[in-house]
Amino acid sequence: HLQFAAPADNPAVLNYRLEYTEDSLFNSNVLVLPGVSTALSRQVTGLKHNTRYYFRVAAEVLGGRSPFSAVSAGLSTAPLAPTNPQRVSSTTNSLTVQYSPPPVGGGVFVNNYVLEYSTVSASEGYRRLMDVRVSTSLTRTIPGLGSNMQVFVRVQASNNGGFSPYSNTSTLATLPGPPLGLTYGVTDGTRGRLSLRITPPSGTAPLLEYAVR
């Protein structure tokens, strides 16, 4: 969304011609915002993600067109979302995740990744990881979790143009602690068979299997 001021001599403007391009010198691929408008703010759509654009505007009156305004400083569009976070490693109280950057688009670099996590559900209870204020790292560790805890993780990227959408949410988990109890009984003494009753460890993540040794 762009805003600009009317000419100082306040002519009867019939239209503001808004041009934009990725070339700061306006020598190539110059686009013109379609339509006729005397509004001093315009919405430009259909731009490429993660791309720097330059803008200029001229007033059109009955006698012709004014010179163009000074070219705006490069304005960037926001990036697309990073890839889904994946588990790199985990302990009973922490989870290390990794993600990949969004497509480069027009070449504007991502200057921050915001990682959020929830131990409540995939749709609520999210907290922002505050280990650092700004980070371009593609690997982050979430500390202070419980054992066998289900953790929902999402990430978004930002540049000078704003924030990307969130990535899809990944459902991950910390390592479980040891089972809370084990009892057994003989089911067939002649064949040496035992029945085992395992009290599972506490936690919110579903357990996949037990290793009995």
Side-chain angles (χ1 to χ4, degrees):
H1 193 85
L2 300 172
Q3 288 185 315
F4 43 89
D9 54 357
N10 197 30
V13 175
L14 301 178
N15 180 47
Y16 286 105
R17 179 183 175 91
L18 181 65
E19 296 185 350
Y20 57 101
T21 177
E22 297 175 46
D23 175 11
S24 62
L25 299 178
F26 277 78
N27 289 330
S28 62
N29 299 319
V30 177
L31 302 173
V32 180
L33 188 65
V36 175
S37 174
T38 58
L40 297 176
S41 63
R42 303 290 297 276
Q43 185 79 25
V44 183
T45 60
L47 301 177
K48 294 188 293 186
H49 66 272
N50 210 40
T51 300
R52 183 173 288 110
Y53 287 92
Y54 300 88
F55 299 85
R56 66 184 185 183
V57 63
E60 295 178 341
V61 298
L62 282 176
R65 182 191 303 162
S66 74
F68 279 99
S69 65
V71 175
S72 69
L75 304 175
S76 301
T77 53
L80 296 178
T83 61
N84 303 351
Q86 303 293 322
R87 184 180 70 87
V88 175
S89 63
S90 58
T91 69
T92 55
N93 59 14
S94 69
L95 182 64
T96 298
V97 301
Q98 188 175 53
Y99 38 87
S100 297
V104 173
V108 177
F109 292 104
V110 169
N111 56 28
N112 189 32
Y113 290 99
V114 176
L115 187 142
E116 295 183 351
Y117 66 99
S118 172
T119 57
V120 179
S121 76
S123 59
E124 61 181 349
Y126 280 93
R127 292 175 285 178
R128 180 172 293 187
L129 181 61
M130 300 297 290
D131 54 341
V132 291
R133 183 172 176 271
V134 175
S135 176
T136 56
S137 173
L138 299 176
T139 303
R140 304 283 290 279
T141 297
I142 306 170
L145 303 172
S147 63
N148 195 38
M149 178 174 283
Q150 195 168 57
V151 186
F152 304 94
V153 184
R154 64 188 186 186
V155 65
Q156 64 180 165
S158 70
N159 61 18
N160 293 335
F163 286 91
S164 75
Y166 284 107
S167 67
N168 290 334
T169 300
S170 295
T171 303
L172 308 173
T174 57
L175 291 179
L180 299 180
L182 175 65
T183 58
Y184 64 91
V186 177
T187 58
D188 189 339
T190 61
R191 297 186 180 182
R193 293 181 178 176
L194 297 175
S195 64
L196 300 176
R197 182 178 182 86
I198 300 171
T199 304
S202 58
T204 57
L207 299 171
L208 301 179
E209 62 181 353
Y210 292 100
V212 180
R213 298 176 181 175

